[in-house]
Amino acid sequence: MPAPVYLDHNATTPLDPRVAEAMEPWVGGLHGNPSSAHSFGRAARAAVELAREQVAELVGGQPPEVVFTASGTEANNAVLLSAFAGEGGGHLVISELEHPSIQAAADRLEGLGVEVTRLCPGADGIVCVDSIVGALGPDTRLVCLMLANNELGTVQPVAEAAAACRARGVPLLCDAVQAAGKLAIDAVALGADYVVVAAHKFNGPVGAAALRIREGAGFEPLILGGGQERRRRAGTENVAALVGFGACAALASEELDERIKRLAELRDGLEAGLSRIPDARLHCASSPRLPHVTHVAFPGLIGEELVVRLDLAGFAVSTGAACASGVVEPSRALVAMGVPAAEALASIRVSLGTTNDEAEIARYLPVLAAEVEALRSFSAEPAARAVAG
């Protein structure tokens, strides 16, 4: 039986063997608290600082600007809660494309009296900079605009938005978690005050992420305690995970052009095959996108059901729909850009990675076509019986 095919790299990615090799000494033998003054601690500190340099190079920042966190969620939460620390009130602007870690934090802040403006993207999956500028007010303390959307892969105009915000004295948070390792990131060129990346999205370990804070940008730590991370994030550093983070960042910096080219070729081959499935509707295909993401709707079925059938057939894909308490709801991002709820519910996402190849795409396409046809036939039978009756 063929090995299962993993096509859900936006959820997480397999650990690169070279990254695992770099981590192995710190998992299997080396140890030390980076805050300790003895030789064990100094070795751990050196390993953490090398990782900081490697991550800084990946995002186009300086090592002192990089704060290590346990996840992108923590980093996003830290920036939002910092921006509204102290005196109450204030105004927050976010897009409806943002990750739940930003959406949920915005909801909490709103409950505490912060005014929140949520901006919808256009039908192309892109947030208009003019809408951001139009939303700014005298009390605006922060704008959040992700670099690339996790569902659609659409790349947002962060540099233009950040420049407009800076001209008005408003800081901008850029969640670049999905872009790292698949898109060149230059924090200086972006102009964002805060940039967030996470290792497990580009073949690094889970549990290691980073927040780049522009020099001079305000920040109040979310986690208090010791003096780690220049007193910006307390807690003993996870040395093994950070060593892995540094290793995957260095590999991504070195191999980025090759990865982009290969992933785009795989995606284009996939989408050429999708065009042969009746009524398949690609979302945002003509918009600026990450090279590895395809989002497609198959009207007449439910995406969650298709995901389950594909899993049983040996292919791991995902859907943008969120399932809570047994109720499947349409994707917030798709609804915000004007996609009808029925089409949103009929959508799935394929996100390719460095471990995929042309042979896997060739295996996937006929299975997908067969499962789509089967689900549509199943859905049509009750309707046909009802009409006949």
Side-chain angles (χ1 to χ4, degrees):
M1 183 176 181
V5 176
Y6 187 73
L7 301 173
D8 194 20
H9 289 79
N10 274 12
T12 196
T13 55
L15 191 68
D16 189 303
R18 296 169 293 180
V19 174
E21 183 178 359
M23 295 173 63
E24 195 279 331
W26 291 97
V27 174
L30 293 180
H31 60 278
N33 187 320
S35 297
S36 298
H38 49 60
S39 60
F40 292 87
R42 293 196 303 273
R45 171 55 56 197
V48 169
E49 295 312 314
L50 174 59
R52 198 183 310 277
E53 293 174 8
Q54 293 166 321
V55 172
E57 182 178 357
L58 176 71
V59 302
Q62 296 300 314
E65 298 175 319
V66 174
V67 179
F68 285 128
T69 66
S71 65
T73 290
E74 180 197 326
N76 283 331
N77 273 224
V79 174
L80 269 82
L81 298 181
S82 169
F84 294 91
E87 60 186 72
H91 177 225
L92 169 67
V93 178
I94 68 173
S95 84
E96 287 283 24
L97 295 177
E98 301 305 309
H99 186 268
S101 60
I102 288 178
Q103 298 279 5
D107 290 344
R108 172 171 290 187
L109 289 170
E110 191 170 36
L112 297 174
V114 174
E115 179 188 356
V116 180
T117 298
R118 298 173 175 83
L119 301 176
C120 292
D124 58 358
I126 306 294
V127 178
C128 176
V129 173
D130 287 344
S131 70
I132 295 174
V133 173
L136 300 178
D139 294 329
T140 306
R141 297 190 196 174
L142 183 68
V143 170
C144 301
L145 183 63
M146 63 182 4
L147 185 52
N149 181 255
N150 47 302
E151 293 182 45
L152 304 163
T154 50
V155 178
Q156 304 301 314
V158 172
E160 188 180 352
C165 290
R166 191 183 318 113
R168 293 159 179 81
V170 178
L172 185 142
L173 164 62
C174 175
D175 177 347
V177 167
Q178 288 295 350
K182 301 107 173 176
L183 189 72
I185 300 175
D186 184 338
V188 175
L190 280 177
D193 298 85
Y194 312 96
V195 177
V196 176
V197 295
H200 77 106
K201 301 295 188 179
F202 56 106
N203 305 104
V206 173
L211 166 62
R212 180 264 182 178
I213 303 174
R214 178 186 57 77
E215 184 178 359
F219 183 75
E220 293 291 332
L222 173 65
I223 299 178
L224 305 174
Q228 294 89 352
E229 298 301 300
R230 299 173 185 262
R231 298 192 178 279
R232 296 171 297 188
R233 199 273 189 182
T236 303
E237 296 91 343
N238 183 344
V239 179
L242 295 182
V243 167
F245 192 2
C248 74
L251 289 169
S253 296
E254 179 182 347
E255 300 173 356
L256 186 62
D257 290 343
E258 179 185 344
R259 291 185 187 186
I260 291 173
K261 180 177 182 293
R262 175 166 173 72
L263 290 171
E265 289 173 349
L266 284 175
R267 183 198 63 191
D268 291 349
L270 168 64
E271 293 185 353
L274 292 175
S275 68
R276 295 190 286 272
I277 299 178
D279 297 323
R281 298 179 187 174
L282 285 172
H283 292 138
C284 305
S286 60
S287 301
R289 288 186 295 162
L290 293 173
H292 70 295
V293 179
T294 291
H295 201 277
V296 59
F298 300 101
L301 52 79
I302 300 297
E304 288 281 356
E305 295 177 357
L306 180 57
V307 167
V308 171
R309 291 179 69 103
L310 288 170
D311 184 39
L312 293 173
F315 298 91
V317 302
S318 66
T319 173
C323 183
S325 301
V327 178
V328 179
E329 298 179 352
S331 157
R332 181 171 184 162
L334 291 176
V335 171
M337 59 185 269
V339 174
E343 182 175 330
L345 286 169
S347 301
I348 64 170
R349 179 191 71 190
V350 171
S351 46
L352 305 168
T354 57
T355 57
N356 295 130
D357 57 30
E358 292 82 356
E360 291 176 331
I361 302 303
R363 282 176 51 201
Y364 171 67
L365 284 167
V367 173
L368 173 64
E371 296 296 348
V372 168
E373 182 180 3
L375 275 174
R376 282 175 170 165
S377 298
F378 179 79
S379 299
E381 284 178 6
R385 286 196 299 269
V387 171

